[in-house]
Amino acid sequence: MRIKKIFPILAVLLIAVAFNANAQCKAFAKKVCLPELGAYTHDGNYHAAVLVEGEEAELYKTFYSDMDYRVAICGEDKLPSVEFKVLDSNKNVLYTNKDKNGNFLKTWDFKLESSQQLKLVVKVTSFNQAGDTPASGCVSIMFGFKMKK
């Protein structure tokens, strides 16, 4: 009988914690990542989630020809670097933000010759030793565009 009373309370607490984490990530996206778009017009969507070190997430987005785009990736300071790759429908890697020196760039500007849906894979790299508690924090991906003149 006692378990029946505790379960609904536990469920409400878990939902409240998840909602609070999502709200914090949206605030992080607005404050930290939105300025990375610079002169590009934000598309109005805030893509942000709590990721754990070593975890990856995928996002599919349609991009149109005759537009210039900027993708901005931001992770909280307590996280290691955030890697992202952009793949086409044939799984060809169109871009990776890891440069020749092993650094991870935060933005990518591009334009497409034809409209297409692309897959963006975001991964929090790892810097902890085995047995350490992995870091977790908000990661945001933002999209901006410019119409061609």
Side-chain angles (χ1 to χ4, degrees), residues 20 31 39 50 81 83 90 117 125-126 132 135 137 139 147 149:
N20 188 38
K31 182 179 178 184
V50 175
S81 299
E83 178 180 8
N90 295 320
Q117 185 178 57
T125 60
S126 185
D132 288 349
V139 175
M147 300 294 277
K149 296 180 181 180

Short mmCIF file of all heavy atoms in Angstrom, two decimals, residues 20 31 39 50 81 83 90 117 125-126 132 135 137 139 147 149:
data_model
loop_
_atom_site.label_atom_id
_atom_site.label_comp_id
_atom_site.label_asym_id
_atom_site.label_seq_id
_atom_site.Cartn_x
_atom_site.Cartn_y
_atom_site.Cartn_z
N ASN A 20 13.31 20.99 -15.36
CA ASN A 20 14.24 22.02 -14.90
C ASN A 20 15.55 21.95 -15.68
O ASN A 20 16.10 22.97 -16.07
CB ASN A 20 14.50 21.87 -13.40
CG ASN A 20 15.31 23.01 -12.84
OD1 ASN A 20 15.12 24.15 -13.23
ND2 ASN A 20 16.21 22.70 -11.92
N LYS A 31 21.89 32.26 -23.95
CA LYS A 31 22.94 33.14 -23.42
C LYS A 31 24.30 32.92 -24.08
O LYS A 31 24.98 33.87 -24.43
CB LYS A 31 23.07 32.93 -21.91
CG LYS A 31 24.09 33.82 -21.25
CD LYS A 31 24.16 33.58 -19.77
CE LYS A 31 25.23 34.44 -19.13
NZ LYS A 31 25.40 34.15 -17.71
N ALA A 39 26.02 37.60 -37.43
CA ALA A 39 25.12 38.32 -38.33
C ALA A 39 24.07 37.41 -38.97
O ALA A 39 23.23 37.88 -39.74
CB ALA A 39 25.92 39.03 -39.41
N VAL A 50 21.11 17.85 -22.13
CA VAL A 50 22.18 17.47 -21.20
C VAL A 50 22.82 16.20 -21.74
O VAL A 50 22.14 15.20 -21.98
CB VAL A 50 21.62 17.22 -19.78
CG1 VAL A 50 22.72 16.71 -18.86
CG2 VAL A 50 21.00 18.50 -19.22
N SER A 81 35.70 19.02 -24.94
CA SER A 81 35.32 19.56 -26.25
C SER A 81 34.14 18.80 -26.84
O SER A 81 33.94 17.63 -26.58
CB SER A 81 36.50 19.47 -27.21
OG SER A 81 37.58 20.23 -26.73
N GLU A 83 32.48 17.57 -30.33
CA GLU A 83 32.76 17.29 -31.72
C GLU A 83 31.45 17.19 -32.47
O GLU A 83 30.46 16.69 -31.94
CB GLU A 83 33.51 15.96 -31.83
CG GLU A 83 33.82 15.53 -33.24
CD GLU A 83 34.57 14.20 -33.31
OE1 GLU A 83 34.72 13.52 -32.27
OE2 GLU A 83 34.99 13.86 -34.42
N ASN A 90 23.73 9.82 -47.95
CA ASN A 90 24.53 8.64 -48.27
C ASN A 90 25.59 8.34 -47.20
O ASN A 90 26.50 7.56 -47.43
CB ASN A 90 25.21 8.82 -49.63
CG ASN A 90 24.19 8.89 -50.74
OD1 ASN A 90 23.20 8.17 -50.73
ND2 ASN A 90 24.41 9.78 -51.69
N GLN A 117 18.27 17.10 -46.80
CA GLN A 117 18.26 16.85 -45.37
C GLN A 117 19.63 16.33 -44.96
O GLN A 117 20.16 15.41 -45.59
CB GLN A 117 17.18 15.84 -44.99
CG GLN A 117 17.06 15.66 -43.49
CD GLN A 117 15.97 14.68 -43.12
OE1 GLN A 117 15.97 13.54 -43.56
NE2 GLN A 117 15.02 15.14 -42.32
N THR A 125 33.41 14.74 -26.28
CA THR A 125 34.63 13.93 -26.19
C THR A 125 34.86 13.52 -24.74
O THR A 125 34.13 13.93 -23.85
CB THR A 125 35.85 14.69 -26.75
OG1 THR A 125 36.03 15.88 -25.98
CG2 THR A 125 35.65 15.04 -28.21
N SER A 126 35.89 12.75 -24.49
CA SER A 126 36.14 12.25 -23.15
C SER A 126 37.53 12.64 -22.69
O SER A 126 38.49 12.57 -23.44
CB SER A 126 36.02 10.72 -23.17
OG SER A 126 36.16 10.21 -21.89
N ASP A 132 36.63 7.31 -13.28
CA ASP A 132 36.21 8.65 -12.89
C ASP A 132 34.74 8.86 -13.22
O ASP A 132 34.21 8.25 -14.15
CB ASP A 132 37.02 9.73 -13.62
CG ASP A 132 38.46 9.83 -13.13
OD1 ASP A 132 38.77 9.23 -12.09
OD2 ASP A 132 39.25 10.50 -13.80
N ALA A 135 31.80 13.74 -16.75
CA ALA A 135 31.20 15.07 -16.67
C ALA A 135 29.91 15.07 -17.48
O ALA A 135 29.76 14.34 -18.46
CB ALA A 135 32.17 16.11 -17.23
N GLY A 137 26.69 17.98 -18.88
CA GLY A 137 26.29 19.38 -18.97
C GLY A 137 25.53 19.65 -20.25
O GLY A 137 25.36 18.77 -21.09
N VAL A 139 24.61 20.90 -23.89
CA VAL A 139 25.20 21.07 -25.22
C VAL A 139 24.10 21.64 -26.09
O VAL A 139 22.97 21.17 -26.07
CB VAL A 139 25.71 19.73 -25.79
CG1 VAL A 139 26.20 19.90 -27.21
CG2 VAL A 139 26.80 19.16 -24.90
N MET A 147 19.70 35.01 -46.43
CA MET A 147 19.18 34.85 -47.78
C MET A 147 20.20 35.41 -48.75
O MET A 147 20.81 36.45 -48.49
CB MET A 147 17.86 35.61 -47.94
CG MET A 147 16.77 35.15 -47.00
SD MET A 147 16.22 33.48 -47.29
CE MET A 147 15.05 33.76 -48.59
N LYS A 149 21.51 37.39 -51.90
CA LYS A 149 21.00 38.59 -52.56
C LYS A 149 21.20 38.52 -54.04
O LYS A 149 22.01 37.89 -54.58
CB LYS A 149 21.69 39.82 -52.01
CG LYS A 149 21.36 40.01 -50.54
CD LYS A 149 22.05 41.23 -50.01
CE LYS A 149 21.73 41.38 -48.52
NZ LYS A 149 22.35 42.51 -47.94
#
